[in-house]
Amino acid sequence: MNVYKWEMKRNLKATAIWTVVLVLVQLMYMSIYPSMSRDAELLSRMLRLMPKAFLRIFGLEEIDFSNVLNYFATISSIYVTLVGSIFAVLLTCRILAREESEKTAEFLLSKPVRRITVLQQKILSALSLILIFDLAVCFSSLLMMEFFRQSPINYAKFWLLWLSQILLHLTVTNLVFLLIVFAKRQENTLSFSIGMTFVLYIIAMASKLAENFSFLRYLTPFYYSDGIRVVKEGRIELTFLVIYLLLNTALVCFSVVFYSKKDIYV
């Protein structure tokens, strides 16, 4: 039984729908960029009148909206960073948690396939679908930026921005896998995972408010993948890349180990 092919086939349609919707939202926002770029100075003056805490949370301090990449990073902080993470949560729950919620786990695990192999193929299928989703949205955004741009694009910063988003979505996927593995019952797994994602997102915003809260940045992957900060600085800190590597390795290893010993409730 090829679990990987089955999961890819079963979830490819949902991935395509999410991708198309996000690309259309992307197109809607990018289509208004030319008019905004002409009034960039007016927009900058308006932003200076807003509370400093608000600007700090969303990374809007001293940002040049005449640059299409800065504009894209600003709007993508919600519809790529957050919405993409929600898609990762829904996809992961659909791939693993439904085996128990739909009472098919007993049938699947009774086949001559090791339980660890089943989980590994499910994780691989989820990561593959996330990559398909991210790469499709990435290249569509590049085409739109090329079409609507008013000035040259810094491609190095663009690819760093998308690398940060891909790492974030893969991390959320692995984190949700571990939560599902630990959960005895799957009924509340989805709502808990979505709630956890929003909490991590809020923690990332709170870490920007003041130096007293700066330690919070190490508790959430949303800070590591802050698109506006990546574009402004033109880099992803090596510390964060190491944390991503160690965190994802640990999440996958713990998921495999605990799933191999877990009691499956059907």
Side-chain angles (χ1 to χ4, degrees):
M1 176 184 293
N2 196 321
V3 178
Y4 175 81
K5 288 183 179 179
W6 168 248
E7 292 295 347
M8 291 292 292
K9 180 180 179 181
R10 184 166 66 165
N11 295 288
L12 194 58
K13 181 178 179 181
T15 302
I17 293 173
W18 273 83
T19 302
V20 170
V21 170
L22 200 55
V23 168
L24 291 176
V25 172
Q26 205 174 28
L27 179 60
M28 178 185 70
Y29 279 107
M30 292 302 297
S31 64
I32 64 176
Y33 170 73
S35 60
M36 290 189 62
S37 63
R38 288 192 293 269
D39 299 322
E41 181 59 32
L42 175 61
L43 182 59
S44 297
R45 289 201 299 268
M46 291 176 60
L47 287 175
R48 286 196 288 270
L49 299 176
M50 303 185 75
K52 290 185 178 180
F54 175 85
L55 299 178
R56 192 177 301 115
I57 287 175
F58 291 98
L60 299 177
E61 298 167 301
E62 300 178 1
I63 190 166
D64 179 16
F65 282 104
S66 64
N67 185 301
V68 67
L69 185 56
N70 290 342
Y71 173 77
F72 174 77
T74 302
I75 60 176
S76 71
S77 64
I78 294 180
Y79 77 83
V80 172
T81 300
L82 185 57
V83 176
S85 297
I86 296 300
F87 165 71
V89 170
L90 295 174
L91 177 66
T92 306
C93 290
R94 178 181 172 88
I95 287 178
L96 186 59
R98 70 184 298 179
E99 297 295 348
E100 290 188 48
S101 62
E102 295 183 1
K103 313 300 182 183
T104 58
E106 185 178 20
F107 170 79
L108 175 62
L109 298 178
S110 65
K111 298 300 179 182
V113 182
R114 295 176 61 199
R115 186 184 290 196
I116 292 178
T117 302
V118 171
L119 182 64
Q120 288 173 339
Q121 292 194 36
K122 282 180 173 289
I123 292 177
L124 185 59
S125 65
L127 299 184
S128 298
L129 290 166
I130 292 296
L131 284 175
I132 291 172
F133 168 82
D134 276 327
L135 291 176
V137 179
C138 169
F139 284 107
S140 67
S141 66
L142 180 60
L143 292 175
M144 293 177 198
M145 289 173 62
E146 289 285 358
F147 183 80
F148 291 110
R149 69 174 184 167
Q150 306 293 316
S151 58
I153 300 172
N154 188 321
Y155 295 104
K157 290 184 177 181
F158 173 82
W159 295 118
L160 279 175
L161 168 64
W162 271 102
L163 174 61
S164 70
Q165 300 307 298
I166 292 173
L167 288 174
L168 169 65
H169 298 156
L170 295 181
T171 302
V172 170
T173 299
N174 289 326
L175 182 58
V176 174
F177 259 117
L178 185 62
L179 290 175
I180 294 173
V181 167
F182 272 110
K184 289 186 176 181
R185 296 289 181 181
Q186 306 300 323
E187 288 80 1
N188 299 320
T189 301
L190 177 59
S191 57
F192 182 81
S193 298
I194 292 177
M196 175 204 66
T197 303
F198 279 105
V199 168
L200 292 175
Y201 184 75
I202 293 171
I203 290 175
M205 292 192 294
S207 68
K208 304 176 190 177
L209 282 174
E211 285 298 321
N212 295 337
F213 300 127
S214 61
F215 70 94
L216 294 174
R217 68 186 61 175
Y218 296 102
L219 304 178
T220 170
F222 283 95
Y223 182 85
Y224 311 159
S225 296
D226 184 353
I228 299 176
R229 182 175 51 79
V230 170
V231 169
K232 281 183 177 180
E233 299 179 0
R235 65 189 179 93
I236 302 176
E237 290 89 335
L238 180 60
T239 302
F240 293 155
L241 289 175
V242 172
I243 291 175
Y244 265 131
L245 176 61
L246 296 177
L247 179 60
N248 280 282
T249 302
L251 289 173
V252 172
C253 290
F254 278 120
S255 295
V256 171
V257 170
F258 283 102
Y259 191 73
S260 64
K261 302 176 181 179
K262 178 184 177 181
D263 292 328
I264 303 299
Y265 296 88
V266 293

